[in-house]
Amino acid sequence: MKSRPKGMPSEENFEFKEEELPNLQEGQLLLKSLYVSVDPYMRGRMSDAKSYVAPYNLNEPIAGGVVAEVVESRHEKYQRGAVVLGNLPWQTYSISDGKGLSPLDPDLGPLSYHLGILGMPGMTAYCGLLYIGEPKEGETVVVSGAAGAVGTVVGQIAKLKGCRVVGIAGSDDKTAYLKNELGFDEAINYKTTSNMREALAAACPDGVDVYFDNVGGEISDAVYSLLNKFARIAVCGQIALYNATSVPTGPRVEPILLKKSALMKGFIVSDYAARFPEAATEMVSWLKAGKLQYEEHIVEGFDQLPQAFFGLFRGENTGKLLVKVADF
Ligand code: NDP
């Protein structure tokens, strides 16, 4: 990262560098990046504002979820040819001392799934929806950012729980995908709908019991006005505001929460780390039983990383956006 973005990030904020890696020391492994994840939270880390994770440093690589192959090992736990998941730098190759790496089981699904449905975004969807949203059969669940990595999983789990599911996304292709492929009851294109509140009211004739918020901003303002008594709101993401250059303001939500006895809770997926094993077991069983569908938007080539990342903010992806760097 060469400079910190103001507003939407651009190529100017990045620089490609070529460096020789040193020889491996005892206890180290050489990793070849196979799949690199691009995620909205990275935008927050590019800024130096205080947050729940430290900012990226200037003139150092961005780091995030990477699936990598061990190509050389002087580490007792890892053999050459093993595949691992780690929080690793955006590099084609990197050296690790093994800390924070987890070996991947190829039987659980394709390797790339560990950056999506079987990884952080999948856990986010599962934990946020089930532990905060607590959807009950017959209730109405609205999810914004519905066609992305987290949103597609949220909507499908809500359907498995017997809910009416309404998704909000940014294109007609996405809304058609949500309804026709994933079984959402309704889907609204927020970019072509002039009155979101009216469109939502029509899609949610019985009001909204659970709102899984991936985007914030005006989309969420429209949802709040339709909350039912005892509604639950899982505040997962605010991507509509990540590139804002001034402090965003909006209608006050507290009077609505008060009148509706509604619960609004922000969360970071790691809050639920103790429950990941049970969540992962259920997700794998749903996936293997064909009860969950999963879409990936794979961009090829390490040099495409910045553009792939910008794609998140341009809504280019349906499903999980990631970059394939090398073959396994
Ligand atoms: P997605 O795969 O959903 O990609 C981002 C999507 O956001 C885009 O495809 C785009 O779809 C939509 N979007 C972009 N800009 C806007 C905007 N201005 N207004 C409305 N929608 C917009 O990403 P993820 O599934 O990885 O993440 C979804 C959200 O969840 C993010 O806000 C992320 O920060 C958050 N998150 C939170 C976690 C936590 O621990 N709390 C963990 C993981 C993710 P469209 O075409 O519909 O506009």
Side-chain angles (χ1 to χ4, degrees), residues 16-321:
F16 284 94
K17 278 192 182 173
E18 218 161 301
E19 279 177 12
E20 289 287 320
L21 286 172
N23 289 333
L24 277 195
Q25 303 295 312
E26 198 52 43
Q28 291 185 327
L29 8 98
L30 177 64
L31 297 169
K32 178 168 85 167
S33 300
L34 302 177
Y35 292 100
V36 178
S37 184
V38 288
D39 294 276
Y41 77 85
M42 292 169 163
R43 174 63 185 87
R45 294 193 67 188
M46 293 183 80
S47 139
D48 56 7
K50 207 168 170 219
S51 186
Y52 60 93
V53 266
Y56 294 124
N57 292 324
L58 286 176
N59 302 313
E60 284 181 15
I62 301 272
V66 174
V67 168
E69 178 187 348
V70 177
V71 286
E72 215 182 308
S73 178
R74 296 188 66 188
H75 190 288
E76 56 178 7
K77 200 174 149 198
Y78 293 98
Q79 305 289 317
R80 185 163 182 248
V83 183
V84 296
L85 173 71
N87 189 53
L88 295 167
W90 283 9
Q91 293 181 185
T92 51
Y93 288 84
S94 56
I95 289 176
S96 162
D97 60 7
K99 279 200 198 99
L101 296 183
S102 22
L104 290 186
D105 177 357
D107 289 343
L108 295 181
L111 294 173
S112 55
Y113 281 28
H114 295 274
L115 296 172
I117 193 160
L118 295 177
M120 186 276 280
M123 293 299 105
T124 304
Y126 185 101
C127 297
L129 179 67
L130 297 185
Y131 303 145
I132 299 174
E134 295 187 352
K136 289 167 200 69
E137 195 173 345
E139 288 190 329
T140 299
V141 174
V142 172
V143 52
S144 55
V150 175
T152 49
V153 181
V154 168
Q156 291 183 85
I157 297 177
K159 281 308 298 174
L160 287 172
K161 297 290 170 188
C163 299
R164 176 179 177 79
V165 177
V166 176
I168 304 169
S171 77
D172 288 345
D173 284 347
K174 291 186 183 189
T175 54
Y177 167 74
L178 295 173
K179 286 174 71 171
N180 303 336
E181 307 290 328
L182 301 189
F184 282 46
D185 296 281
E186 286 297 338
I188 300 168
N189 177 351
Y190 72 91
K191 286 190 180 158
T192 53
T193 300
S194 55
N195 188 327
M196 272 302 288
R197 194 191 172 284
E198 271 176 21
L200 273 162
C204 307
D206 298 326
V208 176
D209 301 294
V210 178
Y211 175 41
F212 193 104
D213 185 12
N214 279 316
V215 307
E218 288 174 9
I219 290 174
S220 294
D221 296 340
V223 181
Y224 298 143
S225 64
L226 296 164
L227 293 179
N228 287 335
K229 183 103 178 163
F230 302 121
R232 287 83 65 199
I233 303 153
V235 183
C236 173
Q238 298 281 290
I239 195 168
L241 311 178
Y242 292 171
N243 292 314
T245 48
S246 57
V247 178
T249 56
R252 298 214 183 267
V253 70
E254 295 89 338
I256 300 172
L257 299 178
L258 175 62
K259 275 185 237 163
K260 298 292 179 182
S261 304
L263 171 80
M264 183 182 222
K265 185 173 178 349
F267 74 103
I268 303 302
V269 62
S270 53
D271 301 345
Y272 295 94
R275 304 182 82 165
F276 288 173
E278 65 182 84
T281 302
E282 190 154 37
M283 292 284 277
V284 169
S285 75
W286 281 334
L287 208 52
K288 289 200 164 165
K291 291 181 175 170
L292 283 182
Q293 308 216 30
Y294 184 53
E295 186 84 16
E296 295 180 307
H297 180 115
I298 300 182
V299 174
E300 300 259 347
F302 183 77
D303 59 343
Q304 295 303 307
L305 262 168
Q307 282 300 335
F309 174 61
F310 308 152
L312 291 167
F313 303 100
R314 297 193 289 243
E316 283 168 6
N317 59 308
T318 296
K320 172 67 188 144
L321 184 49

